[in-house]
Amino acid sequence: MIVNDRSVGPPLSDAALRRLRMISEVPDLSHTKYDLVEPLGHGGMGSVYLARDRVLDRLVALKVVGTFALSPDATDRLLREAKVLARLEHPGIVPVHDVGALPDGRAFYTMKFVRGQRLDTYLSDAT
């Protein structure tokens, strides 16, 4: 057996790895009716982005399963979440507009975009 001991290059820095992860998380919205505007936040299951619905010419919040959480279970959870939210009607609950899959297979749903601040930020400012 021949072993090649040539180095493939220096290891990537933590900053470079964070940048690569961030880039890999950006949803591919080609073949959808949405244009990406900016990231809004992320959590354990995925990320939320501000997107423009080109057909209805409105801003929406687009929630997508993260590549780090990509599994049938995560996809099922996101779709169940969208279905539950879509059945609820209340002034304090943001309505779901659409659900689908990105070209890379990740599930997403869109909901009304509501301007404001995060609840935890609001509560910490109130004290």
Side-chain angles (χ1 to χ4, degrees):
M1 171 188 255
I2 299 174
V3 176
N4 184 346
D5 64 354
R6 288 187 296 161
S7 174
V8 294
L12 294 173
S13 68
D14 288 345
L17 288 173
R18 282 191 300 275
R19 176 81 175 137
L20 286 171
R21 181 176 180 193
M22 183 184 74
I23 291 168
S24 73
E25 288 300 312
V26 174
D28 174 8
L29 298 179
S30 62
H31 308 295
T32 72
K33 63 181 186 171
Y34 303 103
D35 291 323
L36 189 65
V37 176
E38 67 183 60
L40 295 175
H42 62 276
M45 192 168 78
S47 299
V48 179
Y49 297 87
L50 180 61
R52 174 166 298 285
D53 180 331
R54 289 188 310 272
V55 174
L56 298 175
D57 191 28
R58 66 179 173 186
L59 293 174
V60 297
L62 182 137
K63 184 171 185 176
V64 62
V65 172
T67 57
F68 58 89
L70 192 54
S71 71
D73 288 342
T75 298
D76 290 345
R77 277 198 326 262
L78 186 92
L79 294 176
R80 277 196 312 271
E81 179 180 306
K83 287 178 182 179
V84 167
L85 288 172
R87 287 187 205 121
L88 301 175
E89 291 187 32
H90 184 276
I93 298 174
V94 179
V96 172
H97 294 311
D98 192 14
V99 67
L102 299 175
D104 65 7
R106 293 188 288 164
F108 75 90
Y109 69 87
T110 62
M111 58 198 118
K112 180 179 180 178
F113 173 62
V114 178
R115 292 194 190 275
Q117 65 184 144
R118 292 171 31 148
L119 181 59
D120 60 345
T121 303
Y122 175 79
L123 292 174
S124 69
D125 290 348
T127 58

